[in-house]
Each structure stands twice: as structure tokens, then as C-alpha cells.
Amino acid sequence: MLMHSGQNYKLEFPFVDHSYDNLVIDDVEVRVILPEGASGFEIVYPNYEITREADDKIKTYLDTFGRPVLVFSAKNLEENHIKNIEIYYKFNPIMLLQEPLLVVVAFMVIFATVIIIVRLDFSISVDENKEARQRVAYLVEELFNTTGKIKSGVSDETVELLATVKAKRDAKQFKNAKKEIDALYKTLTDEATAVTKKIASLSPTLTDRVAEFNRREGERKTLLTSISALAEKVLGDKISKTTCTEQENNLLAKLYTAQTAIEDSLAAL
């Protein structure tokens, strides 16, 4: 029978039990295994001689420092000696969580180890193809940024310049603005050309796609030149308003198509 109050426990049981009538036991050893972490043992013996031997410890699954074992021995026992022995001890119930926590920690360690092994590359050799792909991805991102600058800083500004010329017809302003746009365009196209050459060098399989991008960029350059030429005609009064509007709408539609094609060619890299 086991009773407890807080951390204080009492275990009571017959030192020997009834097996058959007229029972006689010459020599007996009783080993009482208590929970791991039990301490502060106090024994209340029945009214006959019982010897307490040296305590022992036993380790079972998930134990850390072992379970205490109280060892008792007695001699010349009979049915009249079937009486209870009482063992008082202290035990913290929190210790009951020790084994489940050990299981949880063990699984966490296993999962973490598997994740590390799967994710880390322990090979000594260098994957040149992987490095090349990473460099190409970086260059494509750089090319994407450069073409974005061409659209906002050159293409959109050229279209805006035409609208300004139509409104103000200021030749000096047009000349200065066109000079700045042309200088920026040259810088950005040089950067784009250098990047496309690197991409083709690192990944020959992308040569055709790079050529397609360059062709689309060439179409945009031709259209921007045509828009600038239209603005010059407006300044020189060499074109009628109706014809200017028709040509402007035609060029803007083609420019939009060209820029969409450039974005598609970039996405294919």
C-alpha cells in the first residue's frame, strides 16, 4: 500500500506473504526498488528481527543516476511473521517528468542532427556548375536593374521630353535635356552590354536568349531615336499637328510592345 502527502511517501507491505499453510522460511532477502530520486529513508520494522543490508542501485531504461534499492534479510520465518514493514521516504513529483523530458530532448537532438546533415554540404570538392549558376543569377538581377533604369531614366524621359516640346517649343531646353538623356543611355547600355557578355561566357546555353535580349534592346533604341527625331520636327515646324499625333501614338505603342518584350526576354534568362 502506498500513501503520500506532498513529497512525503509511505510504502507499507507484508515482509513475507502467505504462500501455503505451515510456511517455514529459513533465509529470505527482500529487495525494495523505489523511484529514482527517492531519499530520506526511515524504516518501521515488524516485531521480529530483520537485518537491513547495504543499499544498492539499479538502472533501468531512461534512468540517469539509478533507482535506490533497499535490501532486507531475515531468517527462520513462519506464518506468524506475516506482518507489514513500513518504509517512509521523500520524493519530488517533478521527477516524474524527467523521463518524458528525456524522450523529448532526445527526439529534438535527432531532428536537429538530421536537419544539419541534410542542409550542410560537407563535400570538399567545389561545385563549379553551382557557382556559375549563382553568378549568372546575380548578373541577371544586375541586368534587370539596369534595364529598369533605362526605362525610367531614358525611355520615360524621352517620351516626357516630346510632350514638353509640343507644349513649349523651347529648343535650348530640348537640346540640354536630350544631351543628358543620351549620356545616361550610353552609360547604361555599356553596363548592360558588359553584363550580357559575362552571362554568355558563364553559361553558353543562354547565348540565344542573350542575343534575343540585345535584339529587343536594339528595337527600343531605334524607337527612342525616332521619338527624338519627331520632337526635332516639332521644334522646326516641319510636321503638322495631326501627323505628329499619329506618329507619336504609333511610336508609343511600339515602344510599349518593345519594353514588354525586353521584360519577357529577361524573365527567360
Side-chain angles (χ1 to χ4, degrees), residues 133-148:
R133 289 194 298 270
Q134 291 176 342
R135 291 178 63 186
V136 168
Y138 172 78
L139 290 171
V140 169
E141 182 67 22
E142 185 177 346
L143 184 60
F144 181 84
N145 293 334
T146 301
T147 54

Side-chain angles (χ1 to χ4, degrees), residues 84-258:
N84 289 348
I85 183 173
E86 299 176 3
I87 301 175
Y88 295 85
Y89 63 93
K90 294 182 181 295
F91 178 72
N92 191 340
I94 294 178
M95 294 295 293
L96 295 173
L97 299 176
Q98 175 178 301
E99 293 182 1
L101 288 176
L102 284 175
V103 174
V104 172
V105 171
F107 276 108
M108 288 179 63
V109 171
I110 292 172
F111 290 147
T113 302
V114 171
I115 290 172
I116 292 173
I117 292 174
V118 170
R119 291 183 176 272
L120 293 184
D121 183 7
F122 296 98
S123 61
I124 299 176
S125 60
V126 178
D127 188 347
E128 294 182 357
N129 291 332
K130 182 178 180 180
E131 287 189 357
R133 289 194 298 270
Q134 291 176 342
R135 291 178 63 186
V136 168
Y138 172 78
L139 290 171
V140 169
E141 182 67 22
E142 185 177 346
L143 184 60
F144 181 84
N145 293 334
T146 301
T147 54
K149 293 177 182 178
I150 292 175
K151 181 181 182 302
S152 60
V154 178
S155 182
D156 293 349
E157 289 297 323
T158 300
V159 173
E160 182 64 27
L161 182 60
L162 174 59
T164 302
V165 167
K166 289 169 63 178
K168 298 183 179 179
R169 296 178 183 268
D170 187 333
K172 184 177 180 180
Q173 181 183 6
F174 169 77
K175 182 178 179 180
N176 291 335
K178 186 175 182 303
K179 184 177 180 181
E180 292 179 3
I181 292 173
D182 289 345
L184 177 61
Y185 195 19
K186 183 179 185 308
T187 299
L188 294 176
T189 51
D190 288 345
E191 291 179 4
T193 300
V195 172
T196 53
K197 287 181 178 179
K198 291 180 181 178
I199 293 175
S201 175
L202 288 170
S203 182
T205 57
L206 296 178
T207 301
D208 292 341
R209 297 178 185 180
V210 169
E212 175 65 14
F213 168 79
N214 289 332
R215 186 177 71 81
R216 296 296 186 181
E217 188 58 53
E219 292 177 356
R220 175 160 63 180
K221 183 177 181 180
T222 300
L223 290 169
L224 292 176
T225 301
S226 298
I227 293 173
S228 295
L230 180 61
E232 290 177 351
K233 289 180 181 180
V234 172
L235 281 173
D237 291 326
K238 297 178 181 180
I239 189 171
S240 66
K241 184 176 181 180
T242 302
T243 304
C244 176
T245 301
E246 291 176 354
Q247 291 187 11
E248 179 183 6
N249 291 337
N250 183 43
L251 288 171
L252 292 180
K254 290 181 178 179
L255 180 62
Y256 174 80
T257 302

